[in-house]
């Protein structure tokens, strides 16, 4: 009888299925486990202090910004509430379109002054902002109102969550419960994860983690009810895949419509969230050829199929972050895109 049970267990494992007797599949010992470098996850107090004191870079004019424009002692060319066009121009009296998009305010004032200097001797031009559209952050996931919000003055993490009307809630057994997974929430800036602990910022009131935001910051707060696997990189359809017991790398890959011709021999799997991960490197070519076992997945795993070779963790994050953000912004209320495979 023991021999029969053992034989059945080995057969299920070889078939890539979860064993209902012995629980989830164990990861075969042949796969390389990479513990993320301790310095990447160590105490980041000094970096947080630096983030607290970073100066906001000079604002650069964006489409739909609105200004009042005046030239001293020449009220006939003054104009109020003029809007920057989508291609970055202000249409000014006497001089016509002037390109200001992408310029700082001081640079734009010089451009306007030089334009009027053709008609007016030594013009003293003023460009007064009345509505700034460009300084903004994005927040998605388990907040009441995800979206893009303007940064006015000093806007901190807690301000951002308040602007999104707070964390979202769900129902469990008839009771209202918090559905935000603060342990795996993150802020990215220029493709880099910031060492911010949302639990310390929101639950413990730790001001060090309540950092001021900068233009382009992306905040993502996942759901504690998230049960997906994310498939990224050289696949035909980067996507989320609904998880169920017995899911493996090759099964998830099938729902991403397979690999492109430019995929590397190896894939990388991030497990445990972006803030406290374990990284696995697996040889996909051997797996596809049946020379090595399929890799068993867990909910919230991130699969990345690179174009080149394997990457260090910080480089890997920079590679996957743009696609990960795009998928998250298309996600439904639990962090899963409505088009994801739901494992009927």
């Amino acid at each position: 009888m023991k021999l029969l049970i053992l034989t059945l267990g080995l057969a299920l494992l070889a078939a890539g299925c979860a064993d209902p007797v012995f629980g989830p599949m164990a990861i075969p010992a042949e796969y390389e486990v990479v513990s993320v470098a301790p310095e990447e996850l160590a105490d980041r107090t000094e970096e947080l202090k630096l983030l607290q004191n970073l100066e906001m870079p000079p604002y650069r004019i964006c489409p739909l910004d609105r200004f009042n424009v005046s030239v001293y002692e020449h009220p006939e060319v003054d104009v109020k509430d003029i809007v920057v066009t989508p291609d970055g121009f202000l249409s000014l009296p006497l001089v016509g379109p002037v390109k200001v998009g992408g310029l700082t305010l001081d640079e734009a004032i010089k451009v306007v002054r030089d334009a009027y200097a053709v008609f007016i001797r030594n013009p003293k031009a003023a460009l007064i902002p009345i509505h700034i559209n460009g300084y903004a952050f994005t927040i998605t996931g388990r907040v009441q109102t995800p979206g893009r919000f303007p940064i006015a003055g000093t806007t901190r993490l807690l301000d951002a969550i308040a602007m999104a009307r707070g964390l979202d809630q769900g129902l469990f057994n008839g009771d209202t419960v918090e559905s935000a997974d603060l342990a795996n929430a993150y802020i990215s800036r220029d493709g880099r994860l910031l060492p911010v602990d949302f639990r310390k910022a929101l639950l413990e009131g730790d001001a060090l983690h309540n950092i001021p935001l900068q233009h382009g910051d992306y905040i993502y707060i996942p759901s504690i009810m998230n049960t997906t696997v994310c498939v990224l990189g050289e696949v035909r359809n980067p996507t989320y895949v609904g998880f169920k017991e017995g899911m493996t790398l090759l099964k998830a890959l099938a729902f991403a419509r397979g690999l492109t011709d430019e995929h590397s021999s190896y894939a990388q799997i991030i497990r445990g969230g972006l803030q406290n991960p374990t990284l696995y490197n697996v040889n996909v070519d051997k797996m596809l050829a049946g020379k090595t076992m399929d890799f068993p997945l867990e909910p919230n795993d991130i699969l990345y199929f690179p174009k080149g070779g394997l990457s260090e963790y910080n480089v890997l994050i920079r590679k996957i972050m743009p696609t990960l953000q795009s998928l998250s912004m298309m996600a439904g209320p639990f962090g899963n895109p409505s088009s994801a495979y739901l494992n009927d």
Side-chain angles (χ1 to χ4, degrees):
M1 183 66 178
K2 290 182 179 179
L3 179 60
L4 176 62
I5 293 175
L6 179 59
T7 303
L8 177 61
L10 291 174
L12 287 171
L13 185 61
C17 300
D19 184 347
V21 178
F22 299 108
M25 292 178 294
I27 297 174
E30 63 196 88
Y31 291 124
E32 179 184 1
V33 182
V34 182
S35 296
V36 176
E39 61 268 19
E40 295 187 34
L41 300 175
D43 180 31
R44 307 283 286 274
T45 300
E46 293 305 316
E47 185 177 353
L48 285 167
K49 288 179 179 178
L50 181 62
L51 291 171
Q52 288 283 351
N53 297 313
L54 283 180
E55 293 185 2
M56 187 76 75
Y59 180 72
R60 295 193 174 273
I61 296 172
C62 294
L64 304 183
D65 286 352
R66 304 204 313 265
F67 295 91
N68 290 337
V69 182
S70 64
V71 179
Y72 181 65
E73 294 185 341
H74 291 276
E76 69 277 8
V77 297
D78 288 355
V79 59
K80 294 185 180 298
D81 200 3
I82 186 172
V83 180
V84 180
T85 62
D87 53 354
F89 285 85
L90 286 176
S91 185
L92 301 176
L94 190 62
V95 299
V98 176
K99 177 78 174 199
V100 297
L103 303 180
T104 66
L105 189 59
D106 288 342
E107 291 169 343
I109 290 173
K110 183 180 184 305
V111 168
V112 171
R113 186 182 66 222
D114 291 346
Y116 276 114
V118 177
F119 305 95
I120 301 171
R121 179 177 295 179
N122 297 323
K124 297 179 181 178
L127 197 61
I128 305 167
I130 59 175
H131 177 80
I132 295 300
N133 185 62
Y135 266 3
F137 66 91
T138 300
I139 182 168
T140 64
R142 297 305 288 173
V143 289
Q144 296 281 354
T145 310
R148 189 171 185 266
F149 296 88
I151 295 176
T154 300
T155 301
R156 296 180 177 272
L157 174 59
L158 296 186
D159 299 323
I161 294 173
M163 293 168 71
R165 297 179 58 195
L167 299 176
D168 205 359
Q169 296 180 327
L171 290 176
F172 181 75
N173 290 336
D175 295 325
T176 301
V177 296
E178 294 290 346
S179 59
D181 182 4
L182 297 181
N184 290 304
Y186 65 81
I187 303 177
S188 71
R189 178 175 296 169
D190 298 324
R192 182 175 66 90
L193 287 180
L194 302 185
V196 173
D197 188 322
F198 280 61
R199 292 171 299 184
K200 290 183 178 180
L202 274 72
L203 303 181
E204 300 177 19
D206 188 335
L208 192 62
H209 290 264
N210 186 26
I211 65 169
L213 302 183
Q214 292 201 350
H215 174 59
D217 281 357
Y218 178 87
I219 304 169
Y220 179 60
I221 303 176
S223 170
I224 57 175
M225 294 175 276
N226 187 20
T227 55
T228 59
V229 169
C230 191
V231 188
L232 305 174
E234 292 301 316
V235 293
R236 301 189 185 281
N237 181 40
T239 188
Y240 284 101
V241 180
F243 178 86
K244 76 173 184 181
E245 291 298 327
M247 176 160 282
T248 63
L249 182 148
L250 293 183
K251 289 180 180 179
L253 181 60
F255 292 102
R257 300 180 186 173
L259 295 166
T260 68
D261 293 336
E262 298 182 322
H263 76 278
S264 169
S265 296
Y266 280 82
Q268 296 182 281
I269 296 99
I270 301 172
R271 175 166 295 173
L274 297 180
Q275 298 287 14
N276 188 27
T278 299
L279 187 64
Y280 296 89
N281 296 329
V282 302
N283 191 314
V284 180
D285 285 349
K286 285 186 177 180
M287 193 181 299
L288 291 169
K291 297 178 179 178
T292 187
M293 296 181 67
D294 201 350
F295 188 92
L297 300 179
E298 294 183 1
N300 305 316
D301 281 354
I302 299 174
L303 280 62
Y304 178 63
F305 297 87
K307 185 174 184 178
L310 299 176
S311 300
E312 297 292 334
Y313 184 69
N314 58 341
V315 177
L316 173 60
I317 290 299
R318 286 183 178 274
K319 289 180 178 180
I320 70 173
M321 191 56 66
T323 307
L324 196 61
Q325 291 178 5
S326 296
L327 290 176
S328 297
M329 292 179 71
M330 294 187 294
F334 299 106
N336 309 334
S338 58
S339 60
Y341 172 63
L342 298 178
N343 291 306
D344 293 334

